[in-house]
Amino acid sequence: MSGMWVANGLSQDLPLGVVMAGAWQGAELAIWRSASGRLSAWNDRCPHRGMRLSHGFVRGETLSCIYHGWAYGTDGACSKIPAHPAMVPPAAIKAEVYQCVEAEGVIWVAPAGSDVDLPDLSGLAAVRSVTVQAGLAEVAHALPGFVCEGAVWRGQLDGAAVALVVQDRGALVRIHALGTGDRVKVSRWLDGMMRLAEQGVLA
Ligand code: FES
């Protein structure tokens, strides 16, 4: 089965025991890291009554829903229903699980069973994620000299390689930046690029 990988953030921004909201194309996701470091990405809907799991909380190796406290293990299966503490939850109560991996400091998500390769970002170090209040066209316009390879824009800054992993969220674009050069320099350059793209929206 094919289904492209979508970058959803940098590893450095998702510490142990934290859940965050993410997306795979139009699907909203809850992406979380267990206490032991295991990363999971699920459809952002609790199988009970549909509360966002990204509003929940991590305890050890489980993610609990904020509404009625149903807890789900890293395989997505419900492991505990607080209102019925003696009950073993039926196996059918399970979050919809996506594939979720980390490579070169980037968190990637794809539907279960996807067999597409990840982009090659070897040799690059994660710098910073930014949210640009603009569309992909304005972002592309603010990146002269950069070459688009699928979800990755590659270019140079003062002779050092820069790769921008782009996550298209419709009215805005998330950019996860990596590079081989000075992180502060890349970060400042990102600020300028964002301004340029956002001005393009206003022009
Ligand atoms: S909606 Fe999640 S536990 Fe009830």
Side-chain angles (χ1 to χ4, degrees), residues 46 48-51 65 67-70:
C46 178
H48 183 213
R49 292 199 186 158
M51 170 60 79
C65 177
Y67 201 177
H68 308 97
W70 290 24

Side-chain angles (χ1 to χ4, degrees), residues 47 63 110 134:
L63 175 64

Side-chain angles (χ1 to χ4, degrees), residues 16-200:
L16 298 177
V18 170
V19 57
M20 69 177 190
W24 187 85
Q25 297 191 345
E28 293 176 300
L29 305 177
I31 302 174
W32 64 284
R33 194 187 295 282
S34 75
S36 72
R38 179 152 177 188
L39 196 62
S40 303
W42 301 343
N43 187 320
D44 198 8
R45 295 280 168 228
C46 178
H48 183 213
R49 292 199 186 158
M51 170 60 79
R52 285 186 185 281
L53 288 167
S54 59
H55 291 178
F57 51 93
V58 179
R59 274 210 189 117
E61 301 304 297
T62 63
L63 175 64
S64 293
C65 177
I66 195 79
Y67 201 177
H68 308 97
W70 290 24
Y72 301 88
T74 53
D75 60 354
C78 184
S79 58
K80 188 176 156 197
I81 297 177
H84 303 282
M87 187 178 113
V88 176
I93 305 178
K94 195 169 182 198
E96 185 188 348
V97 176
Y98 282 66
Q99 293 186 81
C100 190
V101 298
E102 293 173 282
E104 313 302 336
V106 179
I107 296 171
W108 296 92
V109 174
S114 295
D115 54 10
V116 176
D117 289 339
L118 284 171
D120 181 11
L121 298 171
S122 53
L124 299 163
V127 176
R128 177 184 163 208
S129 293
V130 295
T131 300
V132 188
Q133 304 291 337
L136 263 186
E138 287 83 13
V139 170
H141 194 66
L143 291 171
F146 274 64
V147 176
C148 175
E149 296 173 3
V152 183
W153 288 78
R154 297 182 194 267
Q156 300 252 320
L157 183 63
D158 294 340
V162 173
L164 305 178
V165 186
V166 170
Q167 183 184 6
D168 184 8
R169 300 290 303 267
L172 55 84
V173 175
R174 293 269 295 151
I175 293 178
H176 314 292
L178 300 92
T180 56
D182 183 281
R183 290 164 57 100
V184 174
K185 200 176 277 184
V186 175
S187 187
R188 285 201 188 118
W189 170 82
L190 269 177
D191 288 335
M193 186 278 293
M194 282 170 66
R195 272 196 298 277
L196 207 57
E198 290 172 356
Q199 280 164 9

